[in-house]
């Protein structure tokens, strides 16, 4: 019963970003979870809003990292994972059929370590929380500069990496069997698994993003923290673009509405980074056509 | 020395002096290579030349201050655009005490003695990062001749400065004019012996050693050994041992850097040599542990001789337990039997003979425990408060927020909260004890937790080694308080 309550808690928490509703085991547990999530978010913001020219204080960074690690451990111990987000290497009893079918399609991709709302245990060696760019000494000098350049170039390379990510997704659906693509669609049609599916795609696309920058992968994307940031950027951008980009909506008609809703759901399921500034980059808008195409395929309209 | 508190034999602290910008806003102009000095003799005070304002301007903020052991010195460095180290020297003015002739009334007047630039702004080319312009620590060396020596450090480099006075100059050279031009030897008809004539006091600071390139991470502590030949410098992950005469070599005595930096969970926060045993030093960590090491045991003191750690109180456990247990300062007492540590909410006194828990714990601002989440958000939880002992180790003092500072009397177990503010700064004004109410009904004169100003923090305090004179540094002011003597 506790597990069930915990699950419900999480789903409600995902839906309501600022989650004020009480549920499950009572307000104290919810507020504890809420506080934990808040602290988690604050910690992530702290790590990624560093002054660019000054070296960040190592003590502060280490303490924030430890905080994040502890929260992760706690969540892992609570066992409140959604079955979808357990990496394939871990066996899970509660996989639903759709997911089981969808998953093999993503098998060949490197398994994304962690998802934001439910922190899985990371079995992959890249599972460390610490952004190595901050702590790595050997590459300390190069890390800082690389991280800076990554931040700057992220916007520029966003187009390339994202289009390649989209290509990846595109490959998966047509290249897989008809059953798979059908299961993709059917999975999407179900409300509950729609989100994880999108997220799974986003996860894989983002891992692909990481892969396209091999140098950075070593340095900055070894932690789920960096994954989150990229995730945010990607999906945040999608969301805004969908709403702003008029030709998109006009050409795709009904499907655009569908995609807009989906993107919104995705954004909600992620941690509340609503205060993070979203800047849809110019080159990114050109990919909307491709995105549309993929959405069409997935939604099956 | 009397204890702390109000009434009876206890000390009543009263205002003595304040230095710094009048407003709390940061002053834009600053002292720049100008030597300002004054020598105070008994009963005589020379008027200093501070410029048109008559008050010292140009504090950006005070980063460190300390008293030196035997002399009446007060050293105040602060961060200005061109990093200055300011020496403030005072002498005791003895005035005859009308009521009690046997006890001379001593008042310390402190004035600017010298200013010099200690560290240049730097740029780390390897990492393409600026080295932050601030002086992290200063330590005096014991005086061996007429000059004073001090070590000052920024994030990366330690410098040894010699500060010397000159109050005489030679006059009457045979071959040189008074202004230094050489005379034509043909015009020299008589010989005379040059004599020393008194001149206005000039204080010179000259760099004697530069200890550089030994620290990858930010230096947080330096400590001079009791052998007066060596000193240690500690950064986040390593502690190095230097000889004062040798700048191109240092010995690494502690290294807690893990092989894989991603496994790093603990850093060094402070380190200090034992005041009497030249082989012993302690270092504190961000996890609230203090390790005592003996340099005789091994060249690399990774294995501690003693580990001081208090078990966590389960009733006070929170998300922030680790962060608030991080020790920001370690200070041995004068005898070396005890050491004091400052973590975010408390001051703890440890007996070196007992590792399991501190012998005394004093809560500095327990009312902040319920506010830890907000303090985490605005980074105040990472503030590094210092602490200090008084001359006879009976009272300890540390700073807090809202320009409050706290003193704890170890004998009477009483404590007091005082405020350093311009409003209380009338001459000889007695400081009133302050109280913070954490909740419920707020009594008169109490201040509620929510109206505390967390930008006004007192990180540095210092206590005169012999007298009841304290110096308290707010963000950009220096306050000197003294006990009230009738």
């Amino acid at each position: 019963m506790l597990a069930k309550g915990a699950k419900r808690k999480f789903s409600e928490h995902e839906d309501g970003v600022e989650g004020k509703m009480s549920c499950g085991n009572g307000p104290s547990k919810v507020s504890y979870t809420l506080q934990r999530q808040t602290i988690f978010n604050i910690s992530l913001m702290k790590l990624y809003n560093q002054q660019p020219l000054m070296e960040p204080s190592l003590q502060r960074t280490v303490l924030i990292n430890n905080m994040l690690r502890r929260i992760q451990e706690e969540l892992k111990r609570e066992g409140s994972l959604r079955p979808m987000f357990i990496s394939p290497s871990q066996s899970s009893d509660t996989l639903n059929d759709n997911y089981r079918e969808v998953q093999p399609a993503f098998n060949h991709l490197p398994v994304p370590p962690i998802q934001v709302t439910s922190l899985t245990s990371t079995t992959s060696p890249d599972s460390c929380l610490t952004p190595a760019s901050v702590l790595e000494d050997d590459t300390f000098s190069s890390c800082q500069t690389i991280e800076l350049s990554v931040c700057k170039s992220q916007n520029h390379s966003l187009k390339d990496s994202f289009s390649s990510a989209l290509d990846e997704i595109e490959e998966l659906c047509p290249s897989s069997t008809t059953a798979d693509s059908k299961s993709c669609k059917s999975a999407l049609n179900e409300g509950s698994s729609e989100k994880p599916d999108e997220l799974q795609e986003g996860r894989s696309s983002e891992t692909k993003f990481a892969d396209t920058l091999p140098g950075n992968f070593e340095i900055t994307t070894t932690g789920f923290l960096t994954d989150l940031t990229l995730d945010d950027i990607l999906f945040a951008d999608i969301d805004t673009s969908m709403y702003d980009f008029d030709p998109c909506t006009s050409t795709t008609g009904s499907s655009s509405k569908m995609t807009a809703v989906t993107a919104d759901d995705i954004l909600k399921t992620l941690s509340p980074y609503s205060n993070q500034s979203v800047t849809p980059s110019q080159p990114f808008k050109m990919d909307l056509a491709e995105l549309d195409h993929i959405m069409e395929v997935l939604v099956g309209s | 020395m009397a204890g702390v508190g109000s009434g009876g034999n206890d000390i009543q602290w009263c205002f003595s002096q304040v230095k710094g910008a009048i407003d709390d806003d940061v002053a834009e102009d600053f002292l720049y290579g100008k030597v300002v000095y004054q020598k105070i003799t008994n009963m005589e005070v020379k008027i200093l030349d501070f410029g048109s304002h008559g008050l010292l301007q140009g504090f950006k903020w005070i980063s460190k201050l300390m008293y030196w052991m035997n002399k009446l010195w007060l050293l105040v460095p602060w961060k200005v655009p061109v990093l200055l180290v300011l020496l403030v020297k005072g002498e005791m003015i003895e005035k005859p005490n009308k009521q009690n002739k046997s006890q001379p009334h001593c008042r310390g007047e402190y004035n600017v003695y010298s200013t010099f630039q200690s560290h240049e702004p730097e740029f780390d080319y390897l990492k393409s990062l600026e080295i932050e312009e601030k002086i992290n620590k200063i330590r005096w060396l014991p005086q061996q001749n007429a000059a004073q020596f001090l070590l000052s450090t920024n994030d990366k480099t330690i410098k040894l400065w010699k500060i010397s006075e000159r109050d005489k100059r030679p006059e009457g050279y045979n071959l040189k004019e008074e202004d230094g031009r050489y005379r034509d030897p043909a015009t020299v008809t008589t010989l005379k012996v040059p004599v020393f004539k008194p001149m206005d006091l000039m204080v010179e600071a000259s760099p004697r050693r530069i200890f550089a390139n030994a620290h990858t991470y930010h230096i947080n502590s330096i400590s001079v050994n009791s052998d007066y030949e060596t000193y240690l410098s500690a950064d986040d992950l390593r502690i190095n041992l230097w000889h004062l005469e040798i700048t191109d070599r240092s010995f690494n005595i502690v290294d807690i850097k893990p092989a894989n930096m991603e496994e790093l969970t603990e850093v060094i926060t402070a380190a200090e040599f034992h005041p009497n045993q030249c082989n012993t030093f302690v270092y504190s960590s961000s996890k609230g542990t203090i390790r005592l090491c003996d340099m005789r045991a091994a060249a690399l003191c990774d294995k501690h001789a003693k580990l001081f750690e208090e078990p966590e109180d389960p009733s006070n456990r929170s998300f922030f337990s680790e962060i608030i247990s991080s020790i920001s300062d370690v200070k041995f007492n004068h005898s070396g039997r005890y050491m004091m540590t400052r973590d975010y909410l408390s001051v703890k006194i440890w007996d070196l003979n007992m590792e399991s828990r501190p012998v005394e714990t004093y809560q500095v601002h327990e009312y902040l425990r319920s506010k830890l989440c907000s303090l985490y958000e605005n980074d105040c939880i990472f503030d590094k408060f210092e602490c200090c002992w008084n001359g006879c180790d009976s009272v300890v003092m540390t700073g807090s927020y809202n320009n409050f500072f706290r003193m704890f009397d170890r004998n009477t177990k009483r404590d007091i909260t005082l405020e350093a503010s311009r409003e209380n700064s009338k001459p000889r004004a007695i400081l009133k004890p302050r109280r913070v109410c954490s909740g419920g009904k707020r009594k008169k004169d109490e201040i509620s937790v929510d109206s505390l100003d967390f930008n006004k923090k007192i990180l540095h305090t210092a206590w005169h080694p012999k007298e009841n004179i304290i110096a308290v540094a707010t963000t950009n002011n220096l306050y000197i308080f003294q006990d009230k003597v009738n």
Side-chain angles (χ1 to χ4, degrees), chain B residues 63-214:
Chain B
S63 62
K64 181 81 187 85
L65 65 88
M66 66 169 285
Y67 269 94
W68 188 53
M69 294 291 289
N70 296 324
K71 283 264 184 178
L72 313 172
W73 292 78
L74 184 64
L75 178 67
V76 180
W78 58 74
K79 174 182 169 177
V80 292
V82 288
L83 276 187
L84 296 180
V85 172
L86 173 77
L87 295 182
V88 180
K89 179 182 177 184
E91 285 184 31
M92 299 304 279
I93 300 173
E94 291 207 12
K95 289 180 187 160
N97 191 341
K98 284 174 196 159
Q99 279 144 339
N100 189 351
K101 294 247 162 101
S102 58
Q103 272 184 355
H105 166 198
C106 296
R107 287 211 71 81
E109 295 284 332
Y110 287 88
N111 284 288
V112 177
Y113 179 69
S114 169
T115 66
F116 61 93
Q117 181 175 348
S118 171
H119 285 73
E120 305 274 339
E122 286 174 51
F123 190 81
D124 186 336
Y125 295 102
L126 195 62
K127 298 177 191 172
S128 299
L129 291 171
E130 284 178 13
I131 293 178
E132 211 181 335
E133 270 187 286
K134 60 179 168 67
I135 295 177
N136 293 338
K137 277 286 177 347
I138 291 181
R139 287 287 181 262
W140 287 102
L141 266 60
Q143 186 174 19
Q144 285 160 334
N145 50 34
Q148 307 282 356
F149 286 87
L150 69 91
L151 285 168
S152 73
T153 180
N154 66 358
D155 280 340
K156 301 287 184 187
T157 308
I158 307 149
K159 291 190 186 181
L160 178 69
W161 290 88
K162 174 180 171 185
I163 294 133
S164 46
E165 286 182 10
R166 199 188 300 192
D167 58 357
K168 296 188 249 298
R169 66 184 173 92
E171 272 181 32
Y173 282 106
N174 290 297
L175 294 174
K176 274 197 286 191
E177 301 281 4
E178 292 305 321
D179 56 8
R181 278 180 305 143
Y182 279 97
R183 260 190 211 160
D184 181 6
T187 62
V188 177
T189 51
T190 59
L191 283 179
K192 55 187 170 175
V193 178
V195 291
F196 276 104
K197 292 265 173 72
M199 59 179 252
D200 287 339
L201 179 68
M202 191 162 81
V203 179
E204 292 172 320
S206 53
R208 274 288 184 257
R209 308 264 186 277
I210 297 179
F211 305 91
N213 301 325

